Amino acid sequence: MNSPLITITLNPAIDQTVCVQNFQPGAVNLALSSSSNAGGKGVNVASCLADWGLPVLATGLLGRNNSEAFEALFKDKGIADRFIRVAGDTRVNIKLSDLANASTTDINLPGLTVGEAQWERLLTLLAADINPGSQIVLAGSLPQGLEPERLPVLIGKLRQWGAHVLLDSSGPALASALAAPRASLPDCIKPNRHELEQWAGRPLPTLDDVLACARQLQQAGVAEVVVSLGEEGALFVLDSSPALLARLPVQNPLSTVGAGDALVAGLSAARHQRLAGEDRARLAVAFATAKLARIGPHLPARDQVEQLARQVEVQHLQ
């Protein structure tokens, strides 16, 4: 697997992270620091994969008016930039990170409006870049102008072209993708517990509930289901063998923003390296844990991530 990993971000964002101590709604809060990073789920995944030393191609739809931050990130990390430029501004997402309790409040602004011409151009570009065996991460929300039904159409084409598709989305987009015929289902999904509950239409308060829901998706045709559970770790249902619960407690995380994206990057890196089972779970959780200590879509040095992977606790479930 020497070809580049491909990330698709249809609705990228510039993430502005503001760190405060003891955030008080409705009051004046003094910011301790502020930083701005090119982001969006697929962009964050691409950035972490590049930090790990893997070849990455990033594509999707990007606002022409404020693309400089993305172009600088791609150039700095050696990420192949195959984004289609669209008229307008890429959205800004504001992240209020409370260092006192390690919580984050998100304020996501509206994104680009995309039309049929840009959609068709994207499909043409992807058809040229994807080969049988390509590894795709399709991550994030849909921009205005693209209805949720577009997602299973895109996944179906990617799979028809021979790609392996890992989907990380939520809400109506995820529901639409999971309602598709078996041939158009993603190979792998990575919801968090809340996103899985939204899809299931019911609470999933226990680990057994989450596992049963993941197995239900497997039976419907999604080969791999990975559910991030916050401080509880992550549930890995990778095949018909026993599921795995992997976790690594972290002291004083700097920001939870992008931890789920780092988990996706770790899954992709592990698959690229042909890791399986416990080894794949360990690396994915290590990516997410390493990211918690950093602002922006970045990983620490490779040896630090590898050290974390050796410390991950893995429990075999039913």
Side-chain angles (χ1 to χ4, degrees):
M1 294 186 181
N2 294 321
S3 59
L5 290 87
I6 299 174
T7 69
I8 303 174
T9 313
L10 300 176
N11 200 20
I14 295 174
D15 291 330
Q16 183 175 1
T17 303
V18 180
C19 294
V20 298
Q21 193 81 20
N22 292 310
F23 174 67
Q24 299 294 323
V28 175
N29 293 267
L30 180 63
L32 302 177
S33 64
S34 177
S35 62
S36 184
N37 296 279
K41 282 183 172 296
V43 173
N44 293 341
V45 171
S47 180
C48 290
L49 289 171
D51 286 343
W52 188 245
L54 297 178
V56 189
L57 183 154
T59 187
L61 304 166
L62 191 63
R64 186 178 296 115
N65 293 351
N66 58 348
S67 61
E68 293 85 359
F70 295 88
E71 292 162 356
L73 175 71
F74 299 150
K75 182 178 179 181
D76 181 56
K77 298 204 175 189
I79 298 170
D81 176 8
R82 295 284 281 164
F83 270 89
I84 293 173
R85 272 42 174 193
V86 178
D89 294 310
T90 297
R91 63 188 175 137
V92 175
N93 288 344
I94 301 169
K95 316 286 188 181
L96 298 175
S97 181
D98 189 342
L99 301 183
N101 57 22
S103 68
T104 300
T105 300
D106 293 332
I107 303 174
N108 292 348
L109 302 185
L112 298 163
T113 298
V114 176
E116 191 67 27
Q118 291 88 0
W119 173 254
E120 292 297 332
R121 187 179 169 197
L122 176 65
L123 293 180
T124 300
L125 181 149
L126 289 169
D129 283 330
I130 292 171
N131 301 303
S134 290
Q135 191 173 327
I136 310 293
V137 172
L138 175 57
S141 59
L142 294 171
Q144 299 178 83
L146 293 183
E147 60 275 12
E149 291 72 24
R150 300 277 187 161
L151 204 57
V153 171
L154 175 56
I155 295 170
K157 287 184 177 294
L158 295 172
R159 293 201 54 194
Q160 181 183 349
W161 296 331
H164 176 279
V165 182
L166 192 167
L167 174 67
D168 184 11
S169 191
S170 61
L174 177 62
S176 183
L178 294 180
R182 184 176 287 258
S184 295
L185 289 172
D187 298 280
C188 177
I189 62 169
K190 201 290 305 167
N192 60 33
R193 188 199 296 261
H194 176 66
E195 292 163 349
L196 191 61
E197 289 176 332
Q198 281 187 314
W199 173 81
R202 64 182 187 276
L204 302 171
T206 69
L207 185 59
D208 286 342
D209 293 328
V210 176
L211 178 55
C213 191
R215 290 293 191 199
Q216 177 186 344
L217 283 165
Q218 265 197 331
Q219 291 170 3
V222 180
E224 300 177 338
V225 180
V226 178
V227 186
S228 51
L229 301 171
E231 293 182 356
E232 294 180 62
L235 174 70
F236 294 81
V237 185
L238 301 179
D239 48 38
S240 59
S241 62
L244 304 174
L245 179 66
R247 66 186 301 267
L248 179 60
V250 179
Q251 298 295 323
N252 302 318
L254 184 59
S255 173
T256 59
V257 175
D261 304 332
L263 182 69
V264 170
L267 279 170
S268 300
R271 186 174 189 277
H272 187 86
Q273 296 169 210
R274 302 184 185 277
L275 301 181
E278 285 195 23
D279 290 335
R280 191 174 180 199
R282 289 180 190 281
L283 188 62
V285 169
F287 266 54
T289 304
K291 168 63 195 71
L292 291 173
R294 297 206 160 199
I295 295 289
H298 312 293
L299 291 182
R302 186 176 181 123
D303 61 341
Q304 295 181 43
V305 179
E306 290 173 338
Q307 182 178 6
L308 288 172
R310 291 190 290 270
Q311 299 171 18
V312 172
E313 303 169 2
V314 178
Q315 177 184 353
H316 288 249
L317 307 176
Q318 65 184 31

